Amino acid sequence: MQSFLKEVWAWVRSIAAALVLTILIGMFIFQPTKVLGKSMDPTLYDQQRIYVSKLSHTFRYEPDYGDIVIIDSRVDRPRTWKDDLLEHPLIRLIRDQEDPNMYVKRVIAKSGDAVEIKDGQVFLNGQLLDEPYVKEPMYPEPPRTWTVPEGHVFVLGDNRNNSKDSRQIGFVPFNHVLGIKF
C-alpha cells in the first residue's frame, strides 16, 4: 500500500508541475489564441488560430510598425497579473469562454507619432502609409488627427470598415499589448 501511495503522489506532483509550467509559459513566453471577428480580413480570418509571442508583454517593450498584436481593449483600466492568469488558454478552456475584450490589430503608430486619417487614407507623420494588407478603402469620415502619447501605440484593423480599434477605444498602453503574432 505504501508503494502505491508513493506512486500516486509522484504522479500528482508531475501533473501539478506540468500544469504550473504550462501556465507560466502561456503567461510569459507564448500562447495560442483565436481571432474573433472580421476586423483583420483578409490577413486573418474569424476563428483562425494564431500563436503570439508574449515576450513584448512580459518585458514591456514597444512593438514595431506593422506588427499584428493582441490587445486588451479595456484601455481605461489598469491590468494586473490576475488578468494575465485569467486570459491563459488553459483557464479559458476550463471557463469555456473566449474573452471579447481581446482584439487582434495592426500597429500603425508608436509613441510620439502623429496619425491623420483623411479622405479614407492613413498618414503617419505626414506621409501616406502604403498599406497593401487593407481589405478595402475606408468609408469617408471627417478628418481626424492623433498624437500617440509616450508608452502607447495606435492600432487599426486591416478591415477598416468593420473594426473597433484606436479610432474608437483610444491609444493602447504597452501593458495592454499582450503579444505579437509570430
Side-chain angles (χ1 to χ4, degrees):
M1 184 66 163
Q2 185 80 346
S3 153
F4 175 73
L5 290 177
K6 275 184 157 181
E7 184 72 21
V8 168
W9 180 243
W11 276 97
V12 168
R13 281 193 327 228
S14 296
I15 292 170
L19 283 173
V20 167
L21 189 59
T22 299
I23 289 172
L24 291 175
I25 288 171
M27 283 178 65
F28 300 112
I29 301 174
F30 78 94
Q31 78 176 43
T33 192
K34 192 187 303 184
V35 176
L36 299 176
K38 299 178 185 288
S39 73
M40 285 301 290
D41 281 352
T43 307
L44 301 172
Y45 300 99
D46 186 30
Q47 301 300 311
Q48 181 177 347
R49 290 211 168 271
I50 60 173
Y51 291 90
V52 296
S53 167
K54 303 281 288 189
L55 295 176
S56 64
H57 182 62
T58 301
F59 296 111
R60 304 279 192 264
Y61 65 79
E62 186 174 39
D64 207 357
Y65 297 105
D67 281 349
I68 295 175
V69 295
I70 308 303
I71 64 165
D72 180 349
S73 66
R74 301 167 294 182
V75 297
D76 55 341
R77 72 173 197 61
R79 284 188 53 84
T80 66
W81 66 269
K82 183 179 174 187
D83 293 320
D84 290 334
L85 180 62
L86 293 176
E87 292 156 4
H88 189 280
L90 191 59
I91 304 300
R92 285 195 322 248
L93 181 67
I94 293 168
R95 295 170 67 202
D96 193 31
Q97 68 183 30
E98 294 294 330
D99 191 338
N101 298 306
M102 299 305 119
Y103 294 178
V104 179
K105 302 295 174 195
R106 186 179 299 273
V107 174
I108 299 301
K110 304 190 308 185
S111 300
D113 287 336
V115 179
E116 182 179 14
I117 297 179
K118 66 180 178 183
D119 302 324
Q121 297 180 306
V122 180
F123 295 82
L124 179 63
N125 300 321
Q127 299 292 316
L128 177 64
L129 282 182
D130 178 29
E131 300 182 291
Y133 44 78
V134 172
K135 181 174 183 175
E136 61 193 7
M138 275 190 283
Y139 296 141
E141 56 185 62
R144 293 172 60 188
T145 303
W146 300 265
T147 299
V148 183
E150 190 65 36
H152 292 74
V153 293
F154 187 92
V155 298
L156 294 173
D158 289 356
N159 184 359
R160 305 276 162 82
N161 297 321
N162 187 21
S163 178
K164 187 173 181 184
D165 45 42
S166 286
R167 293 173 292 173
Q168 294 84 26
I169 67 171
F171 306 110
V172 180
F174 290 165
N175 70 341
H176 281 64
V177 176
L178 306 180
I180 300 173
K181 181 185 176 300
F182 283 119

